[in-house]
Amino acid sequence: GHMRWLPVCAVICAVICAANSEDEGHKFFEHRSFEAGNFFVCDQESAASVPSGKIPIIIESESSRVFGSEGHHTTILGLKFLQRYVKKGQKVLDYGTGTGIQAIAALKLGAESALAVDIDHEAVEVCGSNGMLNKVQNLEARLAQNVDGTEGPFDLCIANILPGVLIDLAPHLALYLKPGAQIGLTGLKKRDIVNIKRAFEQQFTFAEEHIELTEDDAHLPDWSSKWGDQTGWVLLVATRTSSNVDKSEMSAHAHGERSELQIFSIGNILIGLLVLLVMGFFPRLGKLKGD
């Protein structure tokens, strides 16, 4: 399930990196400090200037592949979800951890332990090192293929991943959570809500309201508007029901909803390839004219 989205991610990342290679170098991925609720996220250099009353989260990542240090809208939504729902002593699952920012935030809010999961080896390493920078205890970072559900059950989960991957993961996340546990699902836009709810509704009850960005989130990074429409990001909140999980039935149900997203996957690949071809063509054209 996870692997089918990797070509899309690879193309998108290639387009972003290539677009920035000449004009702005690594600026797109440089560290920034930003606020999210009571949190102040920053690198080590900015850690000495944490605003009064804010909870500092130090995030360092030299890799452009590891998600979470750039203050993306969904990262902020996840932090706001944790601030609202984490209770002391909870066992938290951070699925799609990236830099580990959500897991670290949960521990700073009083969670007893946090399991941070990602498909990327580098993300797992970065998460571990960021945990040490923040001096949090009981943070474990693990590759997704090494998670089988025996680590749970968990009291709370934050999952910030692509919509199609979330749909694939629906039965697994249901197995990992105890009845009554809450989950925050993001990486979504409003157009994805219907499909996500259908995939999860057999084992989860969704809250009527979802978490969105507000006018108070005016600190969002300037770069976000460069890469298309960055409005409409949402986080859905759901509660795990007490019914048993029929994994095969839930997987089949999720697959039906995911099929509606396949066309977007194909479209993303084609658009990405077209952009790369155009970007490769024009520099050559300019060189020929110069000659």
Side-chain angles (χ1 to χ4, degrees):
H2 298 67
M3 301 303 291
R4 285 176 288 177
W5 280 87
L6 290 181
V8 185
C9 299
V11 170
I12 293 174
C13 288
V15 171
I16 292 173
C17 292
N20 282 270
S21 60
E22 292 185 9
D23 297 332
E24 300 184 42
H26 65 284
K27 188 180 296 184
F28 179 84
F29 294 108
E30 72 184 1
H31 297 297
R32 299 167 173 84
S33 61
F34 62 91
E35 296 181 20
N38 286 340
F39 293 108
F40 182 76
V41 183
C42 59
D43 57 14
Q44 292 186 83
E45 293 181 6
S46 305
S49 57
V50 178
S52 176
K54 295 293 183 181
I55 302 171
I57 300 179
I58 302 171
I59 296 296
E60 292 282 2
S61 173
E62 295 181 0
S63 172
S64 61
R65 296 192 312 163
V66 180
F67 185 83
S69 63
E70 298 88 22
H72 190 273
H73 300 206
T74 57
T75 300
I76 295 173
L77 289 174
L79 293 173
K80 294 176 80 167
F81 163 78
L82 293 173
Q83 186 176 318
R84 188 178 301 182
Y85 288 98
V86 169
K87 296 180 176 63
K88 289 187 177 181
Q90 284 185 327
K91 195 172 183 177
V92 175
L93 173 63
D94 175 11
Y95 212 102
T97 191
T99 59
I101 185 171
Q102 309 289 351
I104 293 168
L107 291 168
K108 291 206 170 195
L109 288 169
E112 175 65 27
S113 64
L115 176 63
V117 179
D118 207 286
I119 62 170
D120 187 351
H121 286 82
E122 196 165 2
V124 171
E125 294 176 4
V126 168
C127 175
S129 62
N130 281 329
M132 289 187 285
L133 280 176
N134 286 274
K135 298 182 172 65
V136 293
Q137 303 295 318
N138 300 322
L139 170 61
E140 181 182 0
R142 190 180 295 188
L143 285 170
Q145 56 264 40
N146 296 331
V147 176
D148 58 14
T150 58
E151 303 82 2
F154 295 92
D155 303 292
L156 188 75
C157 175
I158 174 68
N160 182 5
I161 325 177
L162 292 168
V165 179
L166 277 178
I167 289 173
D168 284 343
L169 286 172
H172 303 283
L173 294 175
L175 285 170
Y176 298 161
L177 301 183
K178 63 175 60 173
Q182 286 161 317
I183 187 169
L185 302 169
T186 191
L188 321 171
K189 290 205 169 186
K190 291 181 179 179
R191 62 174 179 258
D192 304 311
I193 291 177
V194 172
N195 287 332
I196 294 295
K197 284 188 172 181
R198 285 176 181 168
F200 280 82
E201 65 186 2
Q202 288 188 322
Q203 300 299 335
F204 292 87
T205 301
F206 281 86
E208 290 186 12
E209 296 183 5
H210 45 261
I211 299 176
E212 297 184 61
L213 299 174
T214 66
E215 292 181 358
D216 293 333
D217 300 304
H219 53 273
L220 294 173
D222 295 334
W223 56 258
S224 59
S225 61
K226 290 180 60 177
W227 310 111
D229 180 16
Q230 290 296 315
T231 61
W233 294 105
V234 297
L235 183 146
L236 302 181
V237 180
T239 302
R240 174 77 165 81
T241 62
S242 58
S243 56
N244 293 326
V245 178
D246 184 333
K247 189 174 179 181
S248 59
E249 181 181 349
M250 196 172 180
S251 294
H253 187 71
H255 179 72
E257 303 310 323
R258 194 192 196 288
S259 63
E260 297 185 21
L261 296 173
Q262 294 296 334
I263 189 169
F264 293 108
S265 175
I266 297 171
N268 282 335
I269 294 174
L270 293 176
I271 292 171
L273 290 174
L274 178 61
V275 171
L276 290 175
L277 287 172
V278 170
M279 290 169 61
F281 173 74
F282 279 106
R284 292 190 182 91
L285 184 61
K287 186 176 181 181
L288 288 173
K289 288 182 176 180
D291 295 339

